[in-house]
């Protein structure tokens, strides 16, 4: 098999298009972030990388809480909008209808199928980004995205970003059952 090398790239697939929410100067503010993922299972903890100059970061550091919101493919325009425009110059508080949960200081986008309330527990300063570690305190899932009482990815229909295409995509088709298909593998 032939492979072409590209040097160090940020091409990890898939990249989610998440919305990070924080309360800045008393108003909900959202930004788009693709560099977010789970890093611990008990207690559930995630990381998100945010550029130092982002307006949203101001609210996170001030209140020590933030939200991660999973938009659906139907919310591509709004998701892109809050990623293009900075809260330093644009009031984004009305882009999404916000609600608050246990933290009272982490706005969540009501129309997003999944919302995670996170407590800031650590931060690591890297060259271009601050990596925030958030302990998930509460998970909110739209009831119409549940099947047998659990979140269903097909109903959530999460928005995915491709860094090489600079485009948004939806999820693909079902392939196999995790933790089962490997049992049939033979060398």
């Amino acid at each position: 098999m032939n492979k072409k090398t590209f040097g160090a790239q940020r091409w990890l697939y898939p990249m989610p298009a998440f919305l990070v929410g924080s309360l800045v100067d008393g108003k909900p503010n959202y930004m788009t972030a693709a560099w977010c993922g789970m890093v611990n299972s008990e207690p559930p903890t995630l990381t998100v990388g945010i550029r130092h100059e982002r307006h949203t970061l101001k609210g996170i550091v001030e209140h020590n809480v933030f939200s991660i919101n999973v938009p659906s493919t139907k919310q591509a325009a709004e998701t892109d909008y809050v990623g293009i425009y900075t809260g330093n110059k644009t009031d984004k508080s009305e882009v999404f209808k916000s609600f608050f949960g246990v933290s009272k200081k982490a706005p969540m986008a009501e129309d997003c199928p999944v919302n995670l309330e996170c407590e800031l527990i650590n931060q690591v300063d890297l060259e271009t980004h601050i990596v925030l570690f958030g302990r998930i305190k509460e998970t909110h899932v739209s009831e119409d995205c549940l099947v047998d009482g659990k979140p269903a990815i097909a109903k959530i229909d999460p928005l995915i970003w491709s860094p090489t295409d600079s485009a948004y995509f939806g999820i693909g088709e079902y392939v196999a059952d995790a933790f089962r298909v490997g049992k049939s593998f033979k060398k």
Side-chain angles (χ1 to χ4, degrees):
M1 170 178 357
N2 295 328
K3 300 249 183 185
K4 181 177 177 174
T5 57
F6 290 90
Q9 297 294 330
R10 52 193 174 141
W11 302 341
L12 181 63
Y13 296 96
M15 280 200 185
F18 289 138
L19 300 171
V20 181
S22 73
L23 199 60
V24 184
D25 300 328
K27 290 184 175 183
N29 189 76
Y30 297 94
M31 63 165 275
T32 308
W35 299 336
C36 181
M38 295 301 302
V39 294
N40 196 57
S41 55
E42 292 298 327
T45 306
L46 57 79
T47 59
V48 60
I50 299 179
R51 287 191 175 272
H52 297 88
E53 67 272 10
R54 296 292 184 223
H55 190 65
T56 306
L57 186 58
K58 178 181 171 183
I60 295 170
V61 172
E62 179 181 348
H63 300 293
N64 289 314
V65 294
F66 61 96
S67 68
I68 297 294
N69 304 270
V70 180
S72 74
T73 58
K74 295 174 191 74
Q75 296 168 305
E78 299 95 319
T79 300
D80 200 50
Y81 177 86
V82 299
I84 293 170
Y85 298 101
T86 175
N88 285 321
K89 297 178 183 174
T90 304
D91 181 356
K92 299 185 284 183
S93 63
E94 300 297 322
V95 175
F96 300 98
K97 183 178 179 185
S98 296
F99 74 100
F100 294 86
V102 295
S103 74
K104 306 293 187 223
K105 296 281 185 177
M108 291 174 280
E110 187 173 290
D111 290 339
C112 286
V114 178
N115 317 91
L116 305 172
E117 290 183 74
C118 301
E119 173 189 11
L120 179 63
I121 60 168
N122 200 359
Q123 40 187 316
V124 176
D125 190 346
L126 298 178
E127 289 79 13
T128 60
H129 288 68
I130 299 277
V131 178
L132 304 176
F133 288 77
R135 177 126 328 127
I136 299 171
K137 299 308 242 179
E138 188 59 80
T139 303
H140 306 263
V141 181
S142 298
E143 288 183 4
D144 61 352
C145 292
L146 302 177
V147 172
D148 296 328
K150 295 186 285 187
I153 194 167
K155 290 187 170 273
I156 293 167
D157 191 22
L159 189 62
I160 306 299
W161 176 66
S162 171
T164 53
D165 301 312
S166 194
Y168 296 110
F169 291 86
I171 59 166
E173 297 295 318
Y174 165 85
V175 175
D177 289 334
F179 307 107
R180 289 188 186 154
V181 70
K183 293 177 181 178
S184 66
F185 178 76
K186 304 280 188 231
K187 268 191 160 178

